Amino acid sequence: MTDLWNEALQGLQPRLGQETYDLWLRPLTVAAVEGQTIRLRAPSLFMKEWFENHYMEAVLDEIEARTDSRYVLDLEVDPNANELQSGHTADRSAATADRGAQTNADSRTPSTPSTFATPAPPTAHIEVRKVAPPPVGLSERYRFDSFISGASNELAASAARAAADQPGTRFNPLLIYGGVGLGKTHLLHAVGHSLYESDPTRRITYLSAERFMNEFISAVRYNQFDQFRRKYREDCDVLLIDDIQFIAGRDRTMDEFFHVFNALYEAGKQIMVTSDRTPSDMQSMEDRITSRLNWGLVADIKSPDLETRVAILRQKAENDRIAIADDVCVYLAGQVQSNVRELEGALVRVATFADLKGVPITTGFIREVIGETTKERRRTPVTVEAVQKAVASHFSVRIADLKGPRRHKGISRPRMIAMFLARELTGSSFPEIGLRFGGKDHSTVINACKRITALSDEDPELRSAVNQLREHLSSL
Ligand code: ADP
Ligand code: MG
C-alpha cells in the first residue's frame, strides 16, 4: 500500500516539479491504511493544511488513475513533531511582536521543509493560518542591502523600495526594464524578501514569465485550472514575475496574465514585473496588457557608471573574500563596462586564476587574463556576415531570410542561432548585430541570445548544431 502511495507521488513529481514535491509531498508519511482510507502524517499543521488545499485532489486523482477506485486521504499532524506554530492563539499583538524571530527562522531557508518542524521558541504564539510559507525561489544574495545604487539604477532601486514599503499603492504595478545583467532580477527578489520580512503573513509568489506559462499550460492540460486560478488570483498577495516580455505573442498565456493582473490589481495586491524592454517596445504583447503595465511606475536600469561598478566589485570581493587592491578594482571596473554579471564574472575568473597560480591580483595580471581572450579573438576575426553565411548553409535557409521578418520556426531558430553566435564570436554590440540582421531592434538580439542559451540546455540537437557552427567559425 505504501508502494501505491510512493508510486502515485512519483507519478505526480514531473507535473508538480521537484521543488514542490520535496517541499510538500515527500515529508508526508503513511501511518496506516484502512479500507479505502489512507492515513497520513504531516510534520506540521501548516503542512497538513497546505497539502489539503493544494495537492490533495491531484494525489487522489493519481491514485484513482492507478487503482480505478476512489480513496480518502486522512491527514493528522505527527504527534511527535515539534510544531513551530503549536500555539493556536490568534493573538494579533503577540503575532506582531514575534515576527522578527519568525522572519529570521523562515526566510533564510526558503525551501527547506524542516523549517516547519523547527522547535518553537517558548514565546511563539502565532496563528497558524496567518503565516504564509516563505517565498519560493528567491535568492538569498539578492537583497536591498546588497544592491549598490548609482545614477544608472537609482530610479529603479527607489521605486522597488517604495513598492516594498507601500505595496499596492502608487507603485502598483511596478515595471523595471533594462538590458541583461543589470540587476532587474536582483531588485525583484529584494522586494519579495522585504515584503515577506515586514509581514510574514503575505503570500508572495515569485516566478519567471516562462514558468508562469508552463504552469498555465499544464493546468489546462491536466484539468487543474481551478488550482491555477486560486494560486495566482486568490492565494496571492504579491506577484513578482521576471522577464514578462517572454509571454509576448503567446496568446493564451497573455490572456491568462491579463485576468490574473486584473484580479490582483482590483484587490489592491502588489504586482511587480521585469522586462528587457519598455512596454511600448514589447512587440506582439497585447495592448491591454502594455497599457496596464503603464498604470503604475515604469523605471529603467542602465549600464552602471564607473563608480558604481567599482562599488559593486568591492562588495563582491568582500563577500567572496577576494583580496584585491582599490586601484586594481578601479582598473578592472574600467575593463568590463557592459553589465554587472560580466563584471562579477571577470572578477571571479581573475581571482580563480590568481589563486591557481598563487599570485596576487594586479593590473598586469588582469591584463594577462582578460587580454588573452581579446588576443584570441583578434587571431580569428569572425564577422557577422561570416556567421550568417555559415548558419544559412548549415540549415539550408537563405541569408535574406535570416535578415528578414519571417517568424516561421524553420527560419527563426537559425536566425536566433546566428544572432547568438554573432554576439559570442564577433564582439559586436547588440544594436550592431540588430542592424546587420535587417535593422532589428537590439532587444530582439538580446532575446535571441537568451533563448538559445536556454534552449541549449534542453535541446541536444540544437546544442550540437551550435557547437559545430562555433567550431567551424572559429577555425576560419
Ligand atoms: P538582470 O535580471 O537585469 O539580467 P541580475 O539581477 O540577474 O540582472 O544581475 C546580474 C548580477 O549582477 C547578479 O549577481 C546581481 O546580484 C548583480 N548586480 C546587478 N546590479 C547590481 C547592483 N547594483 N549591486 C549589486 N549587485 C548587482
Ligand atoms: Mg533577470
Side-chain angles (χ1 to χ4, degrees), residues 184-185 242-243 341:
K184 302 182 296 294
T185 299
D242 213 356
D243 294 314
R341 190 173 299 139

Side-chain angles (χ1 to χ4, degrees), residues 51-71:
F51 173 83
E52 287 169 345
N53 291 331
H54 294 84
Y55 306 114
M56 179 119 109
E57 273 308 305
V59 174
L60 285 172
D61 290 348
E62 189 72 28
I63 294 177
E64 187 172 351
R66 282 159 198 276
T67 57
D68 245 3
S69 56
R70 195 74 184 166
Y71 277 77

Side-chain angles (χ1 to χ4, degrees), residues 66-80:
R66 282 159 198 276
T67 57
D68 245 3
S69 56
R70 195 74 184 166
Y71 277 77
V72 174
L73 297 181
D74 185 13
L75 271 82
E76 61 166 17
V77 178
D78 188 343
N80 301 321

Side-chain angles (χ1 to χ4, degrees), residues 83-94:
E83 277 241 52
L84 175 63
Q85 299 99 353
S86 53
H88 223 320
T89 43
D91 180 343
R92 294 289 290 166
S93 60

Side-chain angles (χ1 to χ4, degrees), residues 143-162:
R143 292 172 169 276
F144 279 127
D145 54 15
S146 58
F147 191 84
I148 310 263
S149 290
S152 57
N153 59 31
E154 214 146 36
L155 176 64
S158 9
R161 284 204 174 88

